[in-house]
Amino acid sequence: MVTTNNYTLGIVLNEMEFGESSKIIRVFTRNYGKISIMVKGAMTPRSKNLSVSQVFGLNEYLLKKGQNFYYIGDAKIVESNFKIRESYDNLIYASLLLEILEKSSLGGEANKKVFDLMRKTLSFFNSSKDPISLALAFELKYLSFIGYRPKLEAKEKAYFSIREGIIDFQDPYSFSISRRDLLYLNKILYGKLEELENIEEIKELDVNRKKYLHNIILKYIKYNLDISSFKSDKLFN
């Protein structure tokens, strides 16, 4: 095994049991991108690596590279993000974002802008009162970072195509969208995460309309990032 020279931050995206006491975790790291880590003995109560293998956790890892997996040489918790689990809505929307990142990012390719965005977004999910807008903010910013930002020109009446964004006509791939909806989406896209809950256009939009717009963006993500489904699909329909 080769030990990496430097510590790296990593966010645990998901976990899978392996054998009787171990598990494999998928981690989005700041330095190495998405990787798989074998955590031996993680399911035992006295495991020193149990706390650094929990989903949502932001941890600092010193890794050893094996043939098929990375292994933990040393690790410590930076941010547990445990409070996300205290709100059902925050939990399901934050889980969706982890799944989007897991299914759309390429293994072994670092993207520090995306990592920093996910880290910041998860920290706000610990206490968010508007998880739909927070999820949309991540999704639109993430799409922009990876070259799939949808067209969101403000118009009186338009249609959102899941293939390309705003268009002037209706087709089988489009959904009706209002100028108010577009103002909301633009505020979400260009606003700072820490200011979202104080922006009037975001505060005033009805929660059902936010859900409608979020479902459209999810369809856009699936179409453009070639994702067939999400585990939480039934929760958003």
Side-chain angles (χ1 to χ4, degrees):
M1 269 183 221
V2 178
T3 303
T4 55
N5 295 324
N6 301 307
Y7 282 84
T8 183
L9 292 173
I11 297 167
V12 182
L13 302 176
N14 61 39
E15 59 183 357
M16 178 181 68
E17 291 185 10
F18 185 85
E20 294 183 0
S21 62
S22 301
K23 63 181 176 178
I24 299 169
I25 57 175
R26 294 282 273 176
V27 180
F28 190 71
T29 67
R30 197 167 192 271
N31 293 347
Y32 312 116
K34 184 177 63 180
I35 62 172
S36 295
I37 301 177
M38 172 71 74
V39 190
K40 293 185 175 181
M43 308 298 288
T44 59
R46 295 185 180 181
S47 171
K48 66 176 183 179
N49 291 323
L50 176 62
S51 60
V52 294
S53 60
Q54 302 295 310
V55 174
F56 297 124
L58 171 72
N59 309 297
E60 189 174 52
Y61 299 99
L62 181 65
L63 298 169
K64 299 177 182 178
K65 194 175 189 313
Q67 185 173 357
N68 298 312
F69 302 101
Y70 282 86
Y71 297 83
I72 297 175
D74 188 28
K76 66 177 181 181
I77 297 174
V78 178
E79 299 163 11
S80 70
N81 293 315
F82 193 78
K83 288 186 177 181
I84 291 174
R85 295 172 172 83
E86 295 178 359
S87 163
Y88 176 74
D89 286 342
N90 288 353
L91 176 62
I92 61 171
Y93 281 99
S95 297
L96 171 66
L97 300 192
L98 295 187
E99 192 175 359
I100 289 173
L101 190 55
E102 200 280 329
K103 289 187 172 180
S104 61
S105 59
L106 297 176
E109 290 192 8
N111 189 324
K112 293 181 178 180
K113 286 181 70 175
V114 171
F115 179 90
D116 292 342
L117 173 64
M118 177 57 88
R119 176 183 181 175
K120 194 172 184 180
T121 304
L122 287 177
S123 71
F124 284 112
F125 265 117
N126 284 293
S127 59
S128 178
K129 296 178 182 178
D130 187 359
I132 305 172
S133 295
L134 184 55
L136 268 168
F138 174 87
E139 291 157 6
L140 291 173
K141 293 175 192 295
Y142 176 57
L143 288 167
S144 298
F145 288 167
I146 62 175
Y148 289 95
R149 181 170 60 192
K151 294 183 292 185
L152 294 175
E153 295 91 343
K155 299 180 179 181
E156 289 302 324
K157 184 177 181 181
Y159 299 93
F160 190 102
S161 166
I162 63 172
R163 296 185 296 183
E164 53 191 297
I166 295 302
I167 56 177
D168 295 319
F169 56 91
Q170 188 170 20
D171 68 14
Y173 299 93
S174 67
F175 298 83
S176 177
I177 196 168
S178 70
R179 180 177 176 81
R180 188 181 186 191
D181 295 334
L182 286 167
L183 290 173
Y184 167 78
L185 292 174
N186 275 286
K187 290 291 184 180
I188 289 290
L189 172 59
Y190 297 108
K192 295 180 180 179
L193 293 180
E194 56 269 31
E195 297 175 356
L196 291 183
E197 294 185 3
N198 296 318
I199 297 174
E200 288 303 316
E201 290 87 348
I202 295 174
K203 289 167 61 178
E204 293 176 355
L205 198 66
D206 178 78
V207 65
N208 289 324
R209 195 64 184 177
K210 291 178 182 180
K211 289 180 179 180
Y212 171 76
L213 296 173
H214 182 249
N215 277 325
I216 294 173
I217 297 301
L218 279 188
K219 293 179 188 298
Y220 179 87
I221 289 171
K222 287 178 183 178
Y223 182 89
N224 288 279
L225 302 188
D226 196 24
I227 299 173
S228 60
S229 64
F230 294 112
K231 294 176 183 177
S232 52
D233 274 346
K234 61 183 178 181
L235 301 175
F236 301 112
N237 292 321

